[in-house]
Amino acid sequence: MAQRKYDERDVRVRATRGSRPRTKQRPEHADAVSALVTGVDRGRYTVLVDAGGPDEHRTVAMKARELGRDRVVPGDRVDLVGDSSGDEGSLARIVRITERRTVLRRTADDTDPVERIIVANADQLVIVTALADPEPRTRMIDRCVAAAYDARMDVLLALTKSDLADPAELVAMYSPIGVKVVVTQTSGAKDERVIHGLDDLRAALDGRMSVLVGHSGVGKSTLVNALVPDALRATGIVNDVTGRGRHTSTSAVALRVPSTDEPTWVIDTPGVRSFGLAHVDPQHLLGAFADLAEVAEECPRGCTHADDAPDCLLDEWVADAPDDETKAARGARLESFRRLLASRLGDVDRS
């Protein structure tokens, strides 16, 4: 029997007819169920299906290929398909990330163009800072405040170890820019620790999703363990030589806080040693200071509002205060804003 021969044109025609047309249209996944991302671990995502609803349960999911390089983070609201039962061995697929209300970002430094998303949909940033052991680093606090305001989040400053130092100076420094402050201290042996001020912190968190950020060793995990007794976040100690803490939390995780009036979540994050602000537009910082922004509208065109800005009306606004008390308050507001501005522009130490 003679073998049939194909010329090059026949092969091309057959290949074309047997190929599926490509499309950029993504499937709708109308049967997807909604879930809250609570943890991320090496490509696997712990999610809470029907969070707060009658069918609430945890399951494990992976990211669908169609999401590409889109990053999924704790706090994300996502849509799942596949086996979302939560039974042993089940694995769902995340096919959509719903629109985020807020996104907290940071960069490696102030020149790094790559943004890292830390959490999504958080209402407030809680900056945990020890008053001593290790010493507070105001420039780090400033950077976190700047990032939170850029993300349109509220800011809460949680000062720990008040038995070792007076919190008055930091309270006076940050209250004028709208930062709420709670002060705590820990007493008792390790197995019988009592955290004074915990009720104030719990009240400030009530009904919100809050992300906790701070240097290692400031007591962040201790607070989390007190707020969420079954969290079992590892705690560490501060190095006597360097004054730095040891990284004890290795991944961000969202935890529900019991004993609150409204559904309350905290997202604990690993300790950080820097907080780059390459993604923050310096012009956005002024929007966090409504009184300064109103005055700055009359500044000369191109005014940077920095310390060395000629003819900046913000200095005149402070000088023209009607009394000493108002002048001091205005001066504190302006100093705080310029400190944040200098942090973003890299004019101060980033420690």
Side-chain angles (χ1 to χ4, degrees):
M1 183 175 178
Q3 184 177 2
R4 185 178 178 183
K5 296 182 179 180
Y6 295 91
D7 64 21
E8 186 177 347
R9 184 181 60 183
D10 290 331
V11 174
R12 287 200 304 268
V13 170
R14 188 176 66 171
T16 301
R17 288 175 179 171
S19 300
R20 286 186 174 182
R22 293 186 177 181
T23 177
K24 292 183 179 180
Q25 185 176 359
R26 294 184 176 181
E28 294 183 3
H29 297 301
D31 59 340
V33 298
S34 63
L36 169 68
V37 178
T38 60
V40 181
D41 183 18
R42 292 169 291 185
R44 290 293 185 266
Y45 303 86
T46 302
V47 300
L48 194 62
V49 178
D50 192 31
D55 189 35
E56 178 180 292
H57 60 276
R58 294 188 183 277
T59 192
V60 177
M62 62 180 293
K63 190 172 65 173
R65 183 178 299 177
E66 62 204 65
L67 289 182
R69 303 182 71 175
D70 292 347
R71 183 178 172 87
V72 180
V73 297
D76 264 328
R77 296 280 179 172
V78 298
D79 290 340
L80 306 177
V81 298
D83 188 353
S84 59
S85 65
D87 296 338
E88 185 176 355
S90 63
L91 184 65
R93 282 190 304 129
I94 299 174
V95 294
R96 266 192 302 269
I97 305 171
T98 63
E99 184 177 357
R100 292 161 168 162
R101 295 184 296 105
T102 62
V103 178
L104 180 65
R105 301 177 172 91
R106 74 180 180 98
T107 56
D109 55 46
D110 288 340
T111 61
D112 188 350
V114 179
E115 301 175 8
R116 180 184 178 186
I117 299 177
I118 303 174
V119 298
N121 300 315
D123 301 297
Q124 70 178 344
L125 174 62
V126 182
I127 307 169
V128 183
T129 301
L131 289 162
D133 190 32
E135 294 297 317
R137 297 169 183 160
T138 56
R139 296 183 182 93
M140 176 67 174
I141 299 174
D142 292 342
R143 290 173 163 271
C144 292
V145 171
Y149 283 161
D150 184 68
R152 302 297 187 266
M153 295 168 56
D154 294 332
V155 184
L156 175 68
L157 180 60
L159 300 177
T160 64
K161 307 182 184 181
S162 62
D163 53 314
L164 301 180
D166 189 346
E169 183 177 352
L170 284 181
V171 172
M173 185 178 297
Y174 290 98
S175 292
I177 61 172
V179 175
K180 295 181 180 179
V181 183
V182 295
V183 180
T184 70
Q185 70 177 65
T186 304
S187 63
K190 184 174 182 179
D191 295 335
E192 300 178 354
R193 283 178 176 171
V194 176
I195 299 181
H196 306 279
L198 190 64
D199 288 342
D200 293 336
L201 176 58
R202 187 180 284 110
L205 303 175
D206 191 18
R208 318 194 79 186
M209 178 174 283
S210 305
V211 52
L212 278 63
V213 172
H215 284 294
S216 298
V218 297
K220 181 165 54 65
S221 294
T222 298
L223 291 181
V224 171
N225 288 334
L227 291 166
V228 189
D230 59 352
L232 301 179
R233 300 293 273 178
T235 58
I237 58 175
V238 177
N239 187 298
D240 291 334
V241 177
T242 66
R244 297 182 183 272
R246 178 168 55 89
H247 291 284
T248 51
S249 300
T250 58
S251 61
V253 60
L255 303 162
R256 182 155 32 205
V257 180
S259 304
T260 52
D261 294 333
E262 299 291 335
T264 303
W265 290 84
V266 292
I267 302 178
D268 187 22
T269 62
V272 295
R273 293 191 176 156
S274 64
F275 210 105
L277 297 175
H279 62 289
V280 178
D281 185 342
Q283 296 300 320
H284 291 171
L285 294 179
L286 193 58
F289 302 80
D291 48 354
L292 301 185
E294 185 177 355
V295 176
E297 288 182 355
E298 304 299 325
C299 279
R301 184 179 180 85
C303 181
T304 64
H305 315 302
D307 279 327
D308 57 354
D311 303 320
C312 180
L313 294 183
L314 294 177
D315 295 295
E316 184 177 328
W317 175 68
V318 173
D320 291 344
D323 53 63
D324 290 343
E325 184 176 354
T326 304
K327 185 174 182 178
R330 289 183 178 182
R333 293 278 289 173
L334 180 56
E335 180 184 0
S336 297
F337 162 69
R338 283 178 169 166
R339 193 171 61 245
L340 290 180
L341 182 63
S343 291
R344 170 57 185 89
L345 296 177
D347 293 338
V348 296
D349 186 356
R350 293 195 299 268
S351 63

